[in-house]
Each structure stands twice: as C-alpha cells, then as structure tokens.
Amino acid sequence: EDQVTQSPEALRLQEGESSSLNCSYTVSGLRGLFWYRQDPGKGPEFLFTLYSAGEEKEKERLKATLTKKESFLHITAPKPEDSATYLCAVRRDSNYQLIWGAGTKLIIKP
Amino acid sequence: KAGVTQTPRYLIKTRGQQVTLSCSPISGHRSVSWYQQTPGQGLQFLFEYFSETQRNKGNFPGRFSGRQFSNSRSEMNVSTLELGDSALYLCASQRTDPFDEKLFFGSGTQLSVL
C-alpha cells in the first residue's frame, strides 16, 4: 500500500537552531515528491519538487533532499517566520492523485 | 496576479442539507482540483477538472460532485451532508501538465456540519 509518513509530528526549536524534518514513503514508481508549507488558516504553499534520488533543492534557509526511501527538509538557522506545518506528498508514475503525509508542525521560538 | 479564490470562507450546515463551494483559479490555469483536509485524515484528493471535464477522481462517495465552467471556475457540491463531512475544503489550480506542475491552493472553505 502506498504510504507517506512524516516525522516528527511536531518540532519546537529556538531561533537559529538548525534541524531536519523527515518524509519517508513507500510507493511503486515514484513520479515526484513535493514539499509544501501551510500556515494556519491558509492553503498549502509550494516549496519544492524532487524527482530522483540524489536530487537536492534549496530556497533561502530550506534545503530538500531525496533518497530512494525518504526525503529530508533541512532548516538552517530558522527564524520565527519559518513556523508552519510542512507537508510532504508523493505522486506515482501512473496516477495523478497525490498521497499526502500528515505534516510536521514546526515552531520556532525567538 | 490574483491567487486562487474560494468562497465562502466559512459555512455552517446541518445534517442532510447540501452545500456548494466555489473556486476561481489563477488566470490562465485550466486545471482545478479539490481536496478535503481534516486533522485525522490529512489532505485527501477529491477530483480534478480540466477544460470542463473531470479528468481524475479520488475515492469519495457519489455525494461529492463537481463541475467546471468554460472560464475555468469550478464548483464542488456535497449532498446529504454527514457529520463526518466537516472539514477544510481546498481548491488548487495548475497550468496544464497534470503530473509535473505545482499546485496553487486557495485559503479554503471551512465547512462545519451540525
């Protein structure tokens, strides 16, 4: 069964304290893995798409990496405005439907 | 460029009623998809419309339906509401390619069924 699992469920960090969020997946024929950020009361906002193992993408303090079984979202020297829920989703080769993880709620304290 | 607009923002209905939600995609985007988000189940795909045709469908009962108009605006309808339909309903638009394009989400409609 296709599955996406994110960990931890919640993460509290001090401002400037770097860490990583994990997204592990079991899916046959990965077409792409997506990272989104969701703020309270808003819809998810696209961050990255990764297509193949070894691929990396960066945006400001965020860096996403992909292996054959999991993806990491690394956050370097986070700021309070990075507080949000980070969602991971995968798409199979043969199916348009995205399979979403439950998300990691990130809280950055000043 | 205006983002994805969903109306209404909040809705309160009672069991057995029906509801219609509206979504206006980003100008030039021809694909509109709908998602249900709940604390327990997370984000779940309902259906996707492209050029007024339902192109993909998730695993929801027939009470959930949708349509898309010639201007790409989309509506979603839920008939015979159940308590379990309480959720945030999100609409997302994308340009053309169904597989590779990123999704642009609206802020959602928060539906409460009493």
Side-chain angles (χ1 to χ4, degrees), chain A residues 19-82:
Chain A
S19 188
S20 297
L21 313 183
N22 178 264
C23 171
S24 62
Y25 61 92
T26 53
V27 63
S28 53
L30 178 72
R31 174 88 183 198
L33 184 142
F34 303 81
W35 282 98
Y36 284 81
R37 166 195 171 127
Q38 186 172 22
D39 292 300
K42 295 187 176 182
E45 178 185 349
F46 173 81
L47 291 173
F48 304 108
T49 307
L50 302 167
Y51 293 104
S52 56
E55 189 175 359
E56 299 182 351
K57 288 193 177 174
E58 288 188 67
K59 178 182 178 180
E60 296 180 357
R61 295 177 293 282
L62 299 176
K63 178 180 177 180
T65 62
L66 180 66
T67 71
K68 288 186 178 179
K69 293 183 178 181
E70 59 191 349
S71 176
F72 291 94
L73 185 66
H74 306 279
I75 302 177
T76 303
K79 299 181 178 181
E81 53 261 42
D82 294 322

Side-chain angles (χ1 to χ4, degrees), chain A residues 79-90:
Chain A
K79 299 181 178 181
E81 53 261 42
D82 294 322
S83 297
T85 296
Y86 290 84
L87 298 165
C88 166
V90 299

Side-chain angles (χ1 to χ4, degrees), chain B residues 10-11 29 38 55 60 75 82 93 100 105 107:
Chain B
Y10 300 95
L11 264 179
H29 285 195
T38 59
R55 189 163 61 174
F60 277 79
E75 288 182 348
E82 301 178 359
S93 75
D100 296 329
F105 284 87
S107 293

Side-chain angles (χ1 to χ4, degrees), chain B:
Chain B
K1 200 172 188 180
V4 177
T5 304
Q6 290 188 247
T7 56
R9 188 73 179 88
Y10 300 95
L11 264 179
I12 300 175
K13 293 286 186 179
T14 56
R15 286 170 53 190
Q17 287 186 311
Q18 75 165 17
V19 66
T20 299
L21 313 182
S22 179
C23 172
S24 293
I26 291 172
S27 178
H29 285 195
R30 296 167 64 187
S31 166
V32 173
S33 51
W34 289 89
Y35 289 83
Q36 182 194 67
Q37 187 175 33
T38 59
Q41 298 293 322
L43 270 158
Q44 293 187 291
F45 172 71
L46 283 154
F47 31 67
E48 184 238 357
Y49 285 85
F50 181 81
S51 292
E52 303 178 64
T53 301
Q54 187 180 88
R55 189 163 61 174
N56 293 282
K57 188 177 187 302
N59 301 319
F60 277 79
R63 299 186 297 107
F64 293 82
S65 63
R67 59 178 176 169
Q68 187 180 33
F69 302 95
S70 58
N71 61 358
S72 292
R73 190 178 71 85
S74 177
E75 288 182 348
M76 190 192 95
N77 184 274
V78 187
S79 63
T80 319
L81 284 166
E82 301 178 359
L83 295 178
D85 297 333
S86 295
L88 179 66
Y89 289 88
L90 292 161
C91 164
S93 75
Q94 63 186 114
R95 287 194 292 263
T96 303
D97 185 334
F99 284 96
D100 296 329
E101 288 288 342
K102 61 186 181 184
L103 297 173
F104 295 83
F105 284 87
S107 293
T109 294
Q110 184 67 55
L111 173 65
S112 297
V113 182
L114 307 177

